């Protein structure tokens, strides 16, 4: 019989401890150690080999100069999805998609499964969270009920694997990996040991059988995919499905992709009949209201090869309490603190005793330093209580010295701004081609922006 020993596993990072403790020594999380029975068996119930001394087959070696044919991708047919995947789904690959509850993961994947099934791929959708009637009702709402998708509702990994091996599909969706459990482990479903074992078994099977596998993952309150980080290392691609429930758009963002770029995003709009690619992604995050007061600046971002324009909103007000408040939505709080410090130390703009609120419109998140200049412009116009020049766009990185550093792909950002009707651009000083209809102002230091947009008393 297989021997079992009691261990304590951190439910946040997956670290194993011989005894219980209030704090995990690996990740520092509190009250995350859970007692689990560790069984000396491989995932999926396969017995572990007793020794490695027995004769094993040789592995074929190749040189770096050898050329191998790339696997033929399964084109989904949705431009936003094919862009994020890098051209389509790759056979013998495993993809992990995480997102908040109710964000639309199951809706999107059911639409993908239906489209691939109509394209001739044998598709299986396995759900461990919903009943078959719920999924069938969603399929009727999405107008994909007639698609030849095979549906199963099961959480037992052994039964799921037997079904998949018999069906021999081309594309499989597991919704979700946290609901799967293996009877070879005594840990509860959703625990670190179960998630790791089930993900490893499914990924290994996908690699051997040539199946394109997608695993759905829950996320923690910090926004990370629940379970051990080793699961993200097992799979080939990791996507996060983002968005605000109060807005109609959703963003599919790649954070790991062995077969394509990791800086591309797919933008979708939520409609009555499911998710559809956004018609004008680069202008989706712009406000339609004309600003008559200060506190707004348009930022030209780059998401992979696509320029995206978003509106940064700021409010600077007198503090009602002794400690000024800083509230940030859609941007890094550390970068806001840096911009405020540079404004005060290098430009003489005192904001230390004021409340500062900053938000990126539409729920968009700024991830690159080029958003510094737009945030500074929004803060300055709010402080001066007058709007920025009409139809103007901002981008540039602010250094601690107060200089404006150049950013990548300036010309693409400017061309997109001109296409959307903007007439002024405030950018880092440097060489760039003139664009008809767009007046470009190069800034070498942040103090130059303060002279243009700041309050008159501090100019």
């Amino acid at each position: 019989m297989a021997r079992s020993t009691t261990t304590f596993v951190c439910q946040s990072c997956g670290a194993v401890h011989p005894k219980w403790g209030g704090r995990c020594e690996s990740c520092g999380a509190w009250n995350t150690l859970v007692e689990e029975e560790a069984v000396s068996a491989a995932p999926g119930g396969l017995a572990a080999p007793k020794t490695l001394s027995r004769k094993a087959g040789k592995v074929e070696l190749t040189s770096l100069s050898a050329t191998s044919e790339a696997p033929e991708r399964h084109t989904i047919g949705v431009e936003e999805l094919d862009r994020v995947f890098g051209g389509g789904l790759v056979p013998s690959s495993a993809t992990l998609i995480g997102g908040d509850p109710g964000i639309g993961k199951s809706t999107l994947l059911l639409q993908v499964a239906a489209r691939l099934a109509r394209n001739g791929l044998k598709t299986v959708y396995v759900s461990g969270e919903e009943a078959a009637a719920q999924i069938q009702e969603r399929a009727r709402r999405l107008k994909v009920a007639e698609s030849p998708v095979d549906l199963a509702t099961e959480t037992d990994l052994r039964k799921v694997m037997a079904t998949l091996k018999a069906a021999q599909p081309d594309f499989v969706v597991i919704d979700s990996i946290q609901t799967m459990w293996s009877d070879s482990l005594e840990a509860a479903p959703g625990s670190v040991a179960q998630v790791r074992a089930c993900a490893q078994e499914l990924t290994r099977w996908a690699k051997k059988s040539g199946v394109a596998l997608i695993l759905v993952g829950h996320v923690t309150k910090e926004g990370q995919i629940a379970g051990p980080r080793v699961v993200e290392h097992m799979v080939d691609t990791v996507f996060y499905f983002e968005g605000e429930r109060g807005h109609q758009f959703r963003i599919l963002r790649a954070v790991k992709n062995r077969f394509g770029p990791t800086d591309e995003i797919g933008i979708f709009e939520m409609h009555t009949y499911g998710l559809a690619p956004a018609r004008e992604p680069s202008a989706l995050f712009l406000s339609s209201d004309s600003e008559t007061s200060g506190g707004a600046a348009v930022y030209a971002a780059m998401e992979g090869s696509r320029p995206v324009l978003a509106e940064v909103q700021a409010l600077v007000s007198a503090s009602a309490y002794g400690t000024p408040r800083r509230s940030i939505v859609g941007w890094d709080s550390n970068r806001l603190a840096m911009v405020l410090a540079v404004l005060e130390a290098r430009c003489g703009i005192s904001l230390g005793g004021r409340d500062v609120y900053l938000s990126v419109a539409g729920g968009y998140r700024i991830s690159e330093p080029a958003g510094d200049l737009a945030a500074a412009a929004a803060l300055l116009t709010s402080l001066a209580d007058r709007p920025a020049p009409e139809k103007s766009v901002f981008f540039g990185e602010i250094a601690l010295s107060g200089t404006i550093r150049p950013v990548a792909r300036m010309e693409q950002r400017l061309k997109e701004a001109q296409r959307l009707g903007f007439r002024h651009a405030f950018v880092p000083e440097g060489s760039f081609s003139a664009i008809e209809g767009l007046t470009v102002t190069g800034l070498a230091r942040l103090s130059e922006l303060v002279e243009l947009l700041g309050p008159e008393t501090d100019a």
Side-chain angles (χ1 to χ4, degrees), residues 282 285-286 296-303 307-312 330-331 360 364-375 392-397 407 413 417 422 426:
S282 60
F285 307 101
L286 293 177
V298 176
Y299 162 55
M302 286 298 300
E303 293 288 354
V308 177
L309 271 64
E311 186 179 78
V312 181
W331 202 38
V360 184
Y364 180 74
R365 287 196 60 85
I366 296 179
S367 57
E368 57 175 347
D372 293 350
L373 198 63
S392 58
V393 66
F394 302 81
F395 60 86
E397 180 182 356
V407 297
R413 302 174 198 253
F422 287 85
F426 297 87

Side-chain angles (χ1 to χ4, degrees), residues 289-322:
D289 299 331
S290 59
E291 292 290 338
T292 58
S293 60
V298 176
Y299 162 55
M302 286 298 300
E303 293 288 354
S305 59
R306 165 194 287 160
V308 177
L309 271 64
E311 186 179 78
V312 181
Q313 301 173 350
L315 176 62
V316 179
S317 62
S319 178
Y321 306 99

Side-chain angles (χ1 to χ4, degrees), residues 89-113:
L89 287 168
V90 178
S92 301
S93 66
T95 300
L96 180 62
I97 296 181
D100 294 331
I103 202 69
K105 302 184 297 296
S106 300
T107 299
L108 177 66
L109 293 178
L110 186 59
Q111 291 180 269
V112 171

Side-chain angles (χ1 to χ4, degrees), residues 161-206:
M161 293 300 301
T163 303
L164 294 178
K165 291 176 181 178
Q168 297 183 351
D170 301 308
F171 175 70
V172 174
V173 175
I174 303 293
D175 186 9
S176 65
I177 187 61
Q178 276 80 12
T179 61
M180 296 291 122
W181 66 277
S182 172
D183 55 10
S184 63
L185 298 174
E186 298 183 11
S191 63
V192 168
Q194 286 285 4
V195 172
R196 180 174 56 236
C198 294
Q200 182 179 4
E201 185 70 13
L202 287 165
T203 302
R204 183 172 58 180
W205 168 76

